[in-house]
Amino acid sequence: MTKKRDVSIISIIGEGGIGKTTLAKMVFSEVKPQFGEHRWWVCVSDRPNHEDLLRKILKEVCKGSTAGLEGITSLSDLCTQIQSDLLKKRFLLVLDDVWELDWWQGEVESTLVRGAMGSKILITSRNIEVSKGVRVFYMHRLPILPEDESWNLFLNKASKTENELKKHKLQDIAKKIVKKCGGLPLVVQTVGSLMQAKNMKKADWKEVADSVIWEWKMPASSSSSQYGSILPGFILSYDDLPPYLSSCFVHCSIFPKDHEIEREGLIMQWMAHGLIEEKEDIDAEVSANQYIEDLIRRCLIEKSDVRYYGETYLKMHDVLHVLASYIGGKEYRHASEHTRHLSLLGVDYAEAAMKYNAFGTTNKVRTLLSASLRSVEFTNFKWLRVLSLKRCRMDELPNTIEFLSLLKYLDLSWSEVRRLPRSLGELCNLQTLDLSYSKIEELPEEMGQLCNLRYLGVKDTEKLEFIAEGLGKLTNLRTLHKFLVCDDKGDTRGCNIRELENLNKLKGELLIEGLVGGRVKVFDAEKAQLKEKHEQNGVELNFEVGEDDNVDTVSKERGLLEALEPPHGIERLVICDYDGDRPVWYLDTNYEELRTLELRHCPLLATVMEIKSLEIKSLEKLQVNRCNGLKTLANIPTLDSLEVTECGSLEQVGDDHMPALKKLYLSDLNTLKQLPSRLPSLEDLLLYNLANWEGWPVETTFTSMPCLQELEFLNCPKMRTEGWIDELMGHDSQATQLQKLTVWDCPNARLGWTLLQHLSNLIELRLDTTALESTLLPSEVSTFLPTLKALYLKGTNTGDLKWGKVPDWVWDLSQLETLFLEGFTEDNSLGGHWQRLPKLRSLGLQDFPNLKSLADVNNITPQQNKTTCPTDAKQQIACLLKIDNLLISRCPALDLPQELSDDHPLLIECKYPSSNALTF
């Protein structure tokens, strides 16, 4: 007899390249509403041991935090910690690419199957025995593609039509090629992409169809021999690569399977190893990006959906990873004296230290990647070209870094390194130094000796306070995220703005800080020649005054901004904490490519745009914050997004000539009185904290906002809705696209139930009850709000619209997944309702001073009967236990049942006010 599990196991079985991982990713994405952030993805790899896999799972559960791993040294401790985390909340754990089950029996199985009720484990595997071994609840077998689907996919990837092939008498040969792909989508796509570049000549196509490679099998002795039957199609595509691309493809095998490969970092590694062909007048970075696009087109790597801190990532399918590793041979194997490229990614500190020490003596390693080493010495690594210590927990590098005279790539991003040794200046071949998101505090003057440096990553280095003079010597720099003008520090001169003068190869975005406090003279700012940096696409000028800075005069700041004229080809311009008025160059017609303009705390700017500025046809996004001199905001016809916040004098935002505007966000504008009414493209209208805006005048003639999808009014105390709210939202069934509606803390606003009847696509509704004309509601509420999934309702205890209890119609919304209720003072029990909300996954209760019970059988209403309502408290509690997120705040009389207090995975009891009910 099998012991009952709280965690169900589901498997997807099929051959390599058939789409198991793709299907699992679709499931992983689709179930986000049910599992939220408690969805974890772990690539199991070939044959993991118990402890490695459990550490991998715990690291994923902890989402990058080391807190859950601290102090854990034994397998028993690992199991205890993981079980503690898994019992907190219903989860989905994907174990991708499981080969066999030696690791499953014992500690791993007993740890993973004891989770919160309703949790799921999804396994992908080529081996049906894996499903049997883990005793799956359900197994889904992916069949190979039918011939017609394989044929259509091939034509699509080859960019050919059937008629074209017939015309050149290639159809039979093409079908022979497709048949050899075995109905595996990944193989069909890859071979189809290969044929896209082939000439329409019979000899070229026949060469592929009759290639002996189709008969190739991976040696049985290989650990990846089970891939042998599907690799030939990929080998054909690999063989078609030019030499420069094949080397780049093989290098990707240094990353673990399923690894998210940062695109920019990969390019710099290729360059460090000399894998990018040099071309006259074309930067290596440009060529490398073309290489990536070519590999993507050939289906040998793919773009990842992950975007982390604005960076883009790539992935390599596990089958292609096997191919790249096989071709890379001993140089990329991590247990051989012939190893040239050593990756310690995905292993813990102890194993990383062991391998590091072992391979350090071989004196042959060219690449070293680690995220767990805590100390390093470089005496025996003199051939090293690429060194990544990303996320390593060390606060300084040893002086032995000087032994790495061939080093071209050094990644210290996200590390705890605070200072760089002066010996860094000996690395005259260094091309890439990435310190982004690290704790670096200063850059030494020896930085100026790095004459080949092309990439200096200092993005979001919040602790960086001092850069020594010398950056101006780095004339090969292409990327510099931040330029910090500094005072001298003792005998060391600080970085001066004029050092920008010769950095004319800079690309991307540049933030310039430290412009005030007497550090910058107008003459030096002119010498910087910022406008000559023609490759820059974004500039941010920050005039923020530090605690110890002297305050510059208005005329001095204006002179500085006049001198720091940005290049005309930029796409993004940001000006912060600027106390002067407009310079002469400000937004003249030369800025033809400007798409984004951000103005933050520029109090003397009386207008954002002048007449000549309106000729800039490219401007799409405008953000204005704390510009108190601004009284009106002129129309900008090309705008796609407009955000204005904390402008204390603003009275009017445009009129009716912004036909392209899709998003309008206004917040904390105490003097605002007038808004446009004709915005035919508007999708999101968000109005927060408008103290004196009274709404649109009753006599306003609207053309409505037919594209409106999200409408929010929050804390607009004088806003009235009479005469315009129906017309604004398309009362005559025009605004059926509206999906989110919020009216909160707007005491003079009134919505009619007849209006809500026309919003049949509404998904989310947030109201305080003053916004409703009456507590009475037609009994068919669930029929005219059929798609509503989230309801936030706030009661009121004053005036004619007093709502002491939660209205009965709330419990008729059986499709609700999220329910937040606040301020219903007369309810003493909410028992008897929960079975009427079978899809509810998030419940918030706040400010119920008299609420005593959540499960009370005596609270059953006459409308309920034995088929729709729990018959006893245990059944009601069982309903509540299915809820994933339970927030209870300021309910002093509530006595929770013991089952909820002890067993509920995510009960949050708040005795103090929650931060914001609307963010629940």
Side-chain angles (χ1 to χ4, degrees):
M1 182 175 174
T2 302
K3 183 179 178 181
K4 186 178 183 296
R5 294 171 171 176
D6 295 329
V7 179
S8 301
I9 303 178
I10 300 166
S11 66
I12 301 174
I13 303 297
E15 294 186 51
I18 203 168
K20 301 181 298 296
T21 299
T22 300
L23 178 57
K25 285 179 178 177
M26 292 173 62
V27 172
F28 191 77
S29 177
E30 287 291 326
V31 300
K32 183 175 182 179
Q34 290 93 320
F35 295 97
E37 298 304 314
H38 290 253
R39 299 170 301 137
W40 305 305
W41 187 288
V42 175
C43 183
V44 174
S45 78
D46 302 357
R47 291 173 175 84
N49 65 46
H50 298 64
E51 188 167 338
D52 280 349
L53 181 63
L54 288 172
R55 283 189 180 276
K56 205 170 183 180
I57 292 171
L58 182 56
K59 187 176 181 180
E60 180 66 17
V61 169
C62 294
K63 287 296 181 186
S65 168
T66 56
L69 296 167
E70 286 295 325
I72 296 179
T73 57
S74 69
L75 184 60
S76 174
D77 289 342
L78 266 174
C79 295
T80 301
Q81 182 62 49
I82 290 177
Q83 279 188 359
S84 172
D85 288 325
L86 297 187
L87 285 167
K88 290 178 181 177
K89 183 179 173 67
R90 190 174 61 152
F91 67 86
L92 169 67
L93 172 63
V94 178
L95 299 176
D96 188 34
D97 196 26
V98 177
W99 288 28
E100 42 75 37
L101 282 178
D102 291 346
W103 53 271
W104 174 258
Q105 282 82 16
E107 296 93 344
V108 175
E109 179 180 14
S110 60
T111 299
L112 297 185
V113 299
R114 294 170 58 193
M117 184 75 71
S119 297
K120 301 285 188 292
I121 295 176
L122 176 61
I123 290 176
T124 70
S125 178
R126 288 173 293 280
N127 188 353
I128 193 171
E129 297 302 319
V130 167
S131 284
K132 295 177 181 178
V134 298
R135 305 195 307 276
V136 297
F137 169 74
Y138 170 72
M139 178 177 67
H140 182 76
R141 297 197 67 168
L142 277 179
I144 62 173
L145 283 180
E147 286 188 19
D148 59 333
E149 291 185 25
S150 293
W151 177 244
N152 290 331
L153 178 60
F154 173 82
L155 292 176
N156 179 267
K157 297 305 292 186
S159 298
K160 304 289 188 290
T161 66
E162 199 159 359
N163 288 335
E164 283 182 278
L165 296 177
K166 286 179 179 178
K167 178 181 177 181
H168 292 87
K169 299 181 180 180
L170 295 174
Q171 185 178 24
D172 290 342
I173 301 175
K175 289 197 171 183
K176 183 178 179 181
I177 293 173
V178 172
K179 188 173 183 179
K180 290 190 173 186
C181 293
L184 301 175
L186 184 60
V187 181
V188 176
Q189 288 183 77
T190 306
V191 175
S193 299
L194 165 67
M195 302 313 295
Q196 181 182 8
K198 295 291 184 183
N199 294 319
M200 299 291 275
K201 295 180 179 179
K202 185 176 288 189
D204 291 348
W205 285 61
K206 204 168 186 304
E207 182 182 4
V208 174
D210 297 337
S211 173
V212 295
I213 291 176
W214 289 110
E215 308 303 322
W216 183 87
K217 302 290 183 185
M218 184 171 279
S221 59
S222 169
S223 62
S224 303
S225 58
Q226 60 181 304
Y227 284 104
S229 62
I230 64 173
L231 284 178
F234 302 129
I235 295 175
L236 281 167
S237 188
Y238 172 79
D239 270 359
D240 191 61
L241 293 176
Y244 59 85
L245 266 187
S246 59
S247 299
C248 292
F249 170 75
V250 171
H251 181 78
C252 293
S253 69
I254 194 173
F255 301 101
K257 281 186 182 180
D258 210 43
H259 188 76
E260 303 286 348
I261 306 171
E262 186 184 348
R263 180 171 180 146
E264 201 167 34
L266 178 64
I267 287 173
M268 298 303 167
Q269 288 190 31
W270 285 349
M271 290 172 56
H273 286 300
L275 303 182
I276 310 300
E277 286 190 333
E278 294 186 9
K279 296 181 180 179
E280 191 176 351
D281 298 328
I282 299 179
D283 276 352
E285 292 88 346
V286 174
S287 296
N289 269 301
Q290 292 173 347
Y291 288 11
I292 287 176
E293 292 303 317
D294 201 357
L295 288 172
I296 291 172
R297 181 186 61 78
R298 295 170 182 264
C299 297
L300 294 177
I301 57 174
E302 59 185 277
K303 293 180 180 178
S304 171
D305 294 331
V306 170
R307 285 191 67 85
Y308 193 56
Y309 282 81
E311 308 294 342
T312 56
Y313 291 83
L314 305 166
K315 292 192 77 169
M316 176 178 273
H317 192 280
D318 59 337
V319 181
L320 291 164
H321 189 280
V322 167
L323 175 62
S325 299
Y326 182 78
I327 296 169
K330 294 179 180 179
E331 287 195 5
Y332 284 87
R333 289 179 186 166
H334 304 155
S336 165
E337 63 178 9
H338 301 285
T339 297
R340 297 292 183 271
H341 306 283
L342 176 61
S343 172
L344 303 178
L345 299 175
V347 301
D348 62 19
Y349 165 68
E351 184 178 350
M354 180 186 68
K355 290 186 175 181
Y356 167 79
N357 292 326
F359 285 101
T361 61
T362 66
N363 214 9
K364 296 177 181 179
V365 177
R366 269 64 167 175
T367 304
L368 174 61
L369 312 180
S370 177
S372 54
L373 287 172
R374 298 175 189 171
S375 62
V376 287
E377 284 295 332
F378 300 114
T379 310
N380 295 320
F381 284 87
K382 66 178 183 179
W383 298 105
L384 208 60
R385 267 77 164 175
V386 170
L387 174 61
S388 175
L389 299 173
K390 184 176 184 176
R391 298 187 184 278
C392 282
R393 302 181 66 193
M394 59 180 75
D395 57 9
E396 63 180 1
L397 288 178
N399 281 315
T400 53
I401 191 78
E402 65 184 337
F403 288 99
L404 307 183
S405 58
L406 299 178
L407 193 69
K408 294 186 177 182
Y409 175 97
L410 177 57
D411 186 356
L412 299 171
S413 62
W414 298 95
S415 72
E416 297 189 8
V417 171
R418 297 179 182 276
R419 290 177 180 81
L420 299 174
R422 294 186 178 277
S423 57
L424 186 80
E426 300 297 319
L427 306 183
C428 58
N429 289 303
L430 197 66
Q431 297 175 345
T432 298
L433 175 58
D434 196 353
L435 299 161
S436 297
Y437 310 103
S438 71
K439 295 184 179 179
I440 193 73
E441 295 175 356
E442 61 181 75
L443 299 182
E445 58 186 329
E446 286 75 12
M447 288 284 298
Q449 300 173 28
L450 304 178
C451 55
N452 286 302
L453 199 66
R454 302 169 71 96
Y455 183 101
L456 178 53
V458 283
K459 186 184 297 183
D460 283 4
T461 46
E462 296 179 356
K463 294 186 179 294
L464 182 60
E465 295 181 349
F466 181 75
I467 299 178
E469 187 178 51
L471 286 190
K473 301 175 184 178
L474 307 181
T475 55
N476 279 309
L477 268 182
R478 267 66 171 180
T479 299
L480 176 62
H481 298 116
K482 178 164 63 177
F483 188 95
L484 179 61
V485 183
C486 300
D487 293 320
D488 296 345
K489 186 176 183 180
D491 295 332
T492 304
R493 294 178 65 87
C495 193
N496 189 292
I497 190 69
R498 64 176 175 269
E499 293 200 72
L500 280 172
E501 180 178 4
N502 295 317
L503 304 185
N504 289 324
K505 296 180 181 179
L506 287 177
K507 299 182 178 183
E509 298 210 354
L510 174 64
L511 163 62
I512 303 178
E513 294 183 333
L515 291 170
V516 292
R519 296 184 193 90
V520 181
K521 297 178 180 178
V522 173
F523 172 77
D524 289 333
E526 291 173 345
K527 291 281 288 182
Q529 291 290 296
L530 185 60
K531 67 179 178 181
E532 299 302 322
K533 314 295 185 274
H534 299 300
E535 298 296 317
Q536 296 271 202
N537 58 27
V539 171
E540 180 172 342
L541 302 171
N542 193 324
F543 292 81
E544 183 178 6
V545 179
E547 290 183 6
D548 301 325
D549 287 341
N550 296 319
V551 179
D552 290 337
T553 64
V554 170
S555 60
K556 170 73 178 296
E557 286 202 20
R558 187 189 186 283
L560 288 176
L561 188 56
E562 189 74 65
L564 291 171
E565 179 180 353
H568 291 159
I570 58 172
E571 297 177 5
R572 179 173 178 262
L573 174 63
V574 183
I575 303 175
C576 301
D577 295 288
Y578 171 65
D579 285 336
D581 57 6
R582 287 193 313 274
V584 172
W585 58 260
Y586 179 77
L587 296 191
D588 64 25
T589 54
N590 290 318
Y591 290 92
E592 296 177 350
E593 298 178 37
L594 188 67
R595 286 177 169 78
T596 299
L597 173 63
E598 299 179 30
L599 302 172
R600 306 177 195 151
H601 194 204
C602 302
L604 297 184
L605 287 184
T607 60
V608 172
M609 310 287 282
E610 292 183 317
I611 296 299
K612 63 179 181 179
S613 305
L614 298 180
E615 297 179 25
I616 300 176
K617 304 297 183 182
S618 57
L619 193 63
E620 297 174 352
K621 184 177 181 179
L622 174 61
Q623 293 183 3
V624 184
N625 171 253
R626 293 190 299 156
C627 295
N628 288 329
L630 191 64
K631 292 188 176 182
T632 61
L633 196 59
N635 293 307
I636 307 169
T638 58
L639 274 189
D640 174 271
S641 173
L642 174 60
E643 300 183 18
V644 187
T645 59
E646 299 181 73
C647 295
S649 302
L650 188 65
E651 297 180 358
Q652 180 179 350
V653 174
D655 50 36
D656 294 331
H657 298 288
M658 289 190 281
L661 194 67
K662 292 182 179 179
K663 179 179 180 179
L664 177 58
Y665 171 66
L666 306 175
S667 177
D668 297 281
L669 306 175
N670 292 333
T671 58
L672 184 69
K673 295 180 180 178
Q674 186 172 341
L675 291 179
S677 58
R678 295 180 179 86
L679 299 171
S681 300
L682 196 68
E683 296 176 358
D684 300 327
L685 176 59
L686 313 173
L687 305 179
Y688 298 166
N689 306 320
L690 306 184
N692 288 293
W693 183 62
E694 298 181 1
W696 285 277
V698 175
E699 64 275 9
T700 300
T701 301
F702 286 90
T703 57
S704 81
M705 300 178 188
C707 298
L708 208 59
Q709 296 181 20
E710 182 173 0
L711 179 61
E712 292 191 11
F713 300 113
L714 176 64
N715 190 26
C716 300
K718 294 185 178 181
M719 182 187 76
R720 296 183 176 274
T721 55
E722 291 88 352
W724 61 262
I725 189 68
D726 290 353
E727 197 169 358
L728 170 65
M729 289 193 289
H731 187 75
D732 297 327
S733 301
Q734 295 176 33
T736 55
Q737 297 187 56
L738 194 70
Q739 297 179 359
K740 295 183 179 181
L741 173 61
T742 298
V743 182
W744 199 272
D745 289 335
C746 300
N748 289 303
R750 294 291 182 270
L751 302 180
W753 290 115
T754 52
L755 170 66
L756 294 181
Q757 291 181 36
H758 291 277
L759 304 179
S760 57
N761 288 322
L762 210 59
I763 294 174
E764 186 175 291
L765 180 61
R766 301 171 185 245
L767 299 174
D768 59 12
T769 50
T770 57
L772 296 175
E773 294 175 337
S774 168
T775 60
L776 299 176
L777 190 70
S779 58
E780 63 272 13
V781 56
S782 59
T783 62
F784 65 72
L785 292 175
T787 60
L788 193 68
K789 294 183 178 180
L791 175 65
Y792 298 70
L793 200 61
K794 180 180 179 181
T796 180
N797 300 306
T798 59
D800 298 333
L801 299 178
K802 181 177 180 181
W803 287 31
K805 294 186 176 182
V806 178
D808 288 340
W809 56 263
V810 170
W811 313 112
D812 290 330
L813 299 170
S814 58
Q815 72 279 16
L816 280 183
E817 297 174 4
T818 298
L819 176 62
F820 183 90
L821 301 170
E822 177 184 354
F824 293 93
T825 59
E826 296 180 11
D827 273 304
N828 53 40
S829 174
L830 295 178
H833 297 300
W834 306 115
Q835 193 163 315
R836 299 167 67 185
L837 303 176
K839 297 182 179 180
L840 195 65
R841 292 294 174 261
S842 297
L843 173 65
L845 302 173
Q846 181 169 294
D847 288 329
F848 279 70
N850 297 305
L851 184 64
K852 297 179 180 179
S853 172
L854 294 183
D856 183 357
V857 294
N858 296 322
N859 197 49
I860 299 175
T861 65
Q863 289 78 18
Q864 297 167 331
N865 55 53
K866 293 181 180 180
T867 62
T868 63
C869 175
T871 56
D872 56 46
K874 288 187 177 180
Q875 287 179 282
Q876 296 179 36
I877 292 170
C879 294
L880 290 167
L881 283 171
K882 294 179 181 178
I883 294 172
D884 296 328
N885 300 294
L886 178 58
L887 168 68
I888 297 176
S889 174
R890 301 197 299 265
C891 301
L894 181 60
D895 184 16
L896 284 173
Q898 186 174 352
E899 295 91 336
L900 277 179
S901 301
D902 295 342
D903 296 338
H904 199 281
L906 199 67
L907 170 64
I908 305 174
E909 286 191 86
C910 304
K911 302 301 181 184
Y912 304 99
S914 61
S915 58
N916 188 346
L918 293 180
T919 62
F920 170 72

